[in-house]
Amino acid sequence: MRRMRINGKRTVSNGRYLSAAVLFCVGLVFLYGCFHEKQSGSTAVSAHSRYVVVTESLAGREEVPLEEYLIGALAVTVPEDFSAQACRAQAVILRTNAVWFAQEAGSERIYCQDLGQNFLTVRELEEKWGDAYAEQYEKLADAVYDTRDQIMQYEGIPVELPYFPLSAGMTRSGEGLALQETYPYLQSVPCTADPFSEHFEQEIILTQSEIAKTLGEMFDSEEEVAWEDIELVWDSAGYVTEMTWKEKRISGEQFRAKLGLASACFTVEQDKNRLYIVTKGIGHGLGMSLYEANEMGKEGKEYQEILGYFFPDCEIVKN
């Protein structure tokens, strides 16, 4: 019980009313803090970052907290209409790759140029999205925030998780590839949605002389190399793994890069003057198909299920 003076008169106020008012104010502050932490995106996740990503350019050196970097990296790797759960799956993949690289390098400072995954700054994101900036930024920031600290491990250690735009109908296994020692945890899984993409098949046409000259350069031959003299080796997912000519070998990925093919899953038809190369899918085919992951997300699959489907031998853990 305490006495107060109001308008010159003494009165009595019960202490419990003052206590209730204080508790009410504290509650409002707490609720605002929770709301603000969720909504502030970059600020919330950035302050929590253990790792930093370092960029160096003519403009100088800049250090960006990992979680902030992930928002910009997501904007580079996924389309704007990507489903929320697929965004979360990709956020875990990008974070895992960064942590794996940091641990391989033995430093919590990650140089973006060495990591090999570009990202967009806030200013670049504003230019990219324009009027849709706030909506798009919140979507990607939520994906990073809701998966905060989560990475994937194989046999208890972080690993590199490859991904690509579109498969040829299934992903590629590490078994039987030259990459088996690097990716022992990759299994081939069906991607039933990928063949329905409008970009599933693509074709390029070359003259016989163009392909002969290209093959001659690739096999380091002074003479042109006819296509019919090439022997091809495919993996179980239909990708060309090896091309042989007179005991010389190149990889399907080398051939793909040289000609700018969409993928190394290709078939060839030829007539007297031309070579028709038809590819299926886009990218190397290893790891997670972004198109399939997006379709899974649109069907209601959670990001944990998406990641578990493409990387069944790995587990999600808190780093």
Side-chain angles (χ1 to χ4, degrees):
M1 185 86 61
R2 60 180 298 187
R3 300 182 183 275
M4 302 194 325
R5 185 178 294 274
I6 301 178
N7 295 330
K9 297 182 179 180
R10 296 173 65 84
T11 185
V12 176
S13 174
N14 195 316
R16 68 173 179 269
Y17 295 117
L18 181 60
S19 299
V22 172
L23 290 175
F24 177 74
C25 292
V26 171
L28 285 178
V29 171
F30 174 76
L31 289 174
Y32 172 79
C34 293
F35 175 81
H36 181 69
E37 182 185 20
K38 175 65 176 177
Q39 296 298 320
S40 60
S42 175
T43 302
V45 296
S46 297
H48 189 81
S49 298
R50 167 186 170 188
Y51 300 94
V52 295
V53 177
V54 182
T55 60
E56 293 179 333
S57 65
L58 295 177
R61 175 190 176 107
E62 184 178 2
E63 296 186 358
V64 179
L66 175 60
E67 305 297 297
E68 183 178 329
Y69 155 84
L70 292 175
I71 297 173
L74 271 177
V76 172
T77 59
V78 303
E80 294 179 9
D81 61 350
F82 218 51
S83 67
Q85 291 300 322
C87 283
R88 285 158 173 74
Q90 181 67 354
V92 174
I93 286 178
L94 293 173
R95 185 184 296 106
T96 301
N97 288 342
V99 171
W100 165 80
F101 182 85
Q103 294 195 5
E104 288 287 305
S107 173
E108 294 180 356
R109 310 176 83 81
I110 307 167
Y111 285 84
C112 187
Q113 292 85 344
D114 297 333
L115 181 59
Q117 174 58 66
N118 194 20
F119 75 105
L120 298 179
T121 64
V122 170
R123 179 175 297 180
E124 290 170 331
L125 292 176
E126 290 175 342
E127 295 176 356
K128 173 183 174 68
W129 290 325
D131 293 340
Y133 167 78
E135 177 184 357
Q136 289 295 327
Y137 187 90
E138 180 180 10
K139 174 183 175 180
L140 299 188
D142 281 349
V144 173
Y145 178 88
D146 291 340
T147 62
R148 187 169 58 184
D149 292 337
Q150 295 180 24
I151 63 171
M152 298 199 78
Q153 292 185 348
Y154 171 69
E155 295 184 346
I157 59 173
V159 289
E160 183 182 13
L161 301 179
Y163 60 90
F164 60 98
L166 181 71
S167 81
M170 63 177 60
T171 64
R172 304 172 72 178
S173 169
E175 184 178 356
L177 296 177
L179 298 173
Q180 183 177 3
E181 292 185 2
T182 305
Y183 301 114
Y185 44 88
L186 291 185
Q187 297 183 20
S188 179
V189 298
C191 296
T192 56
D194 283 357
F196 294 96
S197 167
E198 61 179 318
H199 305 295
F200 181 68
E201 286 192 355
Q202 300 183 44
E203 180 183 74
I204 69 168
I205 303 174
L206 300 172
T207 64
Q208 292 283 5
S209 59
E210 286 174 334
I211 191 66
K213 180 180 178 181
T214 298
L215 290 173
E217 293 173 353
M218 297 196 72
F219 284 104
D220 194 24
S221 170
E222 295 182 358
E223 60 181 300
E224 295 185 344
V225 178
W227 178 258
E228 52 267 25
D229 294 333
I230 301 296
E231 294 183 5
L232 302 180
V233 177
W234 291 268
D235 64 14
S236 58
Y239 291 78
V240 174
T241 59
E242 188 175 272
M243 301 172 61
T244 305
W245 177 76
K246 292 184 177 181
E247 299 184 352
K248 294 183 178 181
R249 292 176 174 81
I250 60 174
S251 71
E253 289 298 317
Q254 288 175 307
F255 183 71
R256 168 200 166 202
K258 180 72 172 180
L259 294 183
L261 301 179
S263 82
C265 179
F266 60 83
T267 57
V268 176
E269 294 183 4
Q270 57 181 326
D271 58 24
K272 187 175 181 179
N273 299 313
R274 290 181 175 82
L275 206 73
Y276 303 86
I277 303 177
V278 178
T279 61
K280 293 182 179 181
I282 302 174
H284 50 59
L286 293 165
M288 187 175 82
S289 162
L290 293 174
Y291 187 91
E292 186 77 17
N294 187 44
E295 294 301 307
M296 293 174 71
K298 291 193 293 186
E299 291 173 359
K301 301 290 194 301
E302 298 288 327
Y303 73 92
Q304 298 95 330
E305 187 175 355
I306 295 172
L307 291 170
Y309 181 74
F310 288 104
F311 306 102
D313 290 337
C314 299
E315 61 176 347
I316 301 175
V317 300
K318 281 272 192 177
N319 180 48

